[in-house]
Amino acid sequence: WSALGPELLRRFALTRRSRGGPLRTLDAAERRDCELRMRLARAWLWSPETPRLYAVVLRLETSNGSLVEQLNSYVGMRSVSLLKGGLRPARLALNGQPYFMAGLLDQGYWPAGLYTAPSDEALAFDVRTAKALGFNLLRKHGKLEPSRWYYHADRMGMLVWQDMPSPPALTCISDADGDPDLAEPSQNGDADADRRTCALDERAFVEELAAVTDALAFSPAVVLYVLFNEAWGQHRTSSLTRKLRALDPSRLLTDVSGWFLSSDVPLPNASLPKGSAWLAEAMARAGSGSSCASRDCGDVIDVHAYPGPQPAEGHRQRWYASWLWEQLQWRTSASRASVLGEFGGISFKSAQQDEPNGWGYRDATSCADLVQQLRELWGQVGAMGLSAVVYTQLSDVEQELNGMLTYDRHVKCETSLQPMLFEKLQALIGKGSTLGVP
């Protein structure tokens, strides 16, 4: 607008509206740039229970009052923070109060369009259905959605954890997930070419990180960013955590979700048990091996466990090893909130689904079996004292049959699943939104 010239900025108005109409208008003096602030005696705070939004109208007028341009938008007033202090574990907080987040992993795939939803109503349906099941959080996994999806989350009251889509592991030769058994060959077949390609990936990642935070700045629903997931393309973890914090200090962040997790004490320098030395080396290469005492490690400790909710012994030894697991202080840390970033993944295929290669992390043989397994899992979660949990997943995706919904968006076992899950989750959210969770 400033390109139109200062003579057009004689009157720049910000109007707060309510059911009773305009309440107040502020005029700015003639200038090219200005900042308008409005003090509210009693702000309506946004939350999943009360997703109140303020309509905002920005008008650009000439000196005689003729309208040049008008922008209609909205804002939601809420804060998200980390509560620390005392002898209790750190907790996630919404609007200054401890708040338990119960969520679903949401990859945003569709049968016909893959990453493209068939309609705006389809985007709204996912948010609406997740809320009807009792969830208050969606973790948008490895994908950025159109702005309309976040608008629906804003107006319906659905918290969002936004993953940063990771750079390709192969071009940066990050040894896949770090395990030498999973190491991939050079993509280009030439070490120098690989290094050049990796440098391009890293530069693009930084640019896109800024673009994502800028694109989502408007949304009160987005409360946390996930920088890296399960070591996919993980690099320069420490410096990129600082970068993300500087780009958006108003939201919480997870530096690493899953494994290669940062700990409050340095990695051991002594000889490590056979079979786990690769983990320390891979973490050092990814930039997550130094102590959190000397750097920003984000706001949460994010563990994955399938089916969970506690990591199985083999999974814990492979991805956390005994020396790292003891240092993480998951569930007890006073400096970072403890969350279960992925768990569950129970597979159930109805008679109408034709997917011979479908899979999950554990199978259910009937609706009754699925409901009972979910009841037991969520019952265990309630006794763990976590700040947030994310179940895998919202809907089936191709051969992954572990969704609450089928790929074409029908709630599985709806008549028995929905009432049980809603009651269980609402009780868990109410109990977990206190500092006194055991």
Side-chain angles (χ1 to χ4, degrees), residues 146-164:
S147 296
R148 290 288 297 182
W149 185 87
Y150 301 94
Y151 162 68
H152 294 312
D154 290 341
R155 69 182 180 86
M156 294 184 200
M158 180 63 70
L159 299 170
V160 176
W161 289 4
Q162 177 64 54
D163 283 19
M164 178 62 193

Side-chain angles (χ1 to χ4, degrees), residues 82-138:
L82 186 65
L83 291 182
K84 297 187 289 185
L87 300 177
R88 290 170 173 160
R91 305 287 295 178
L92 299 178
L94 183 68
N95 297 323
Q97 298 298 318
Y99 192 84
F100 184 80
M101 303 181 189
L104 287 168
L105 195 75
D106 179 9
Q107 300 194 67
Y109 277 82
W110 299 87
L114 295 182
Y115 259 14
T116 302
S119 66
D120 181 63
E121 171 54 29
L123 294 175
F125 175 86
D126 275 5
V127 179
R128 185 186 308 116
T129 304
K131 186 147 189 174
L133 288 171
F135 294 94
N136 61 10
L137 167 70
L138 288 173

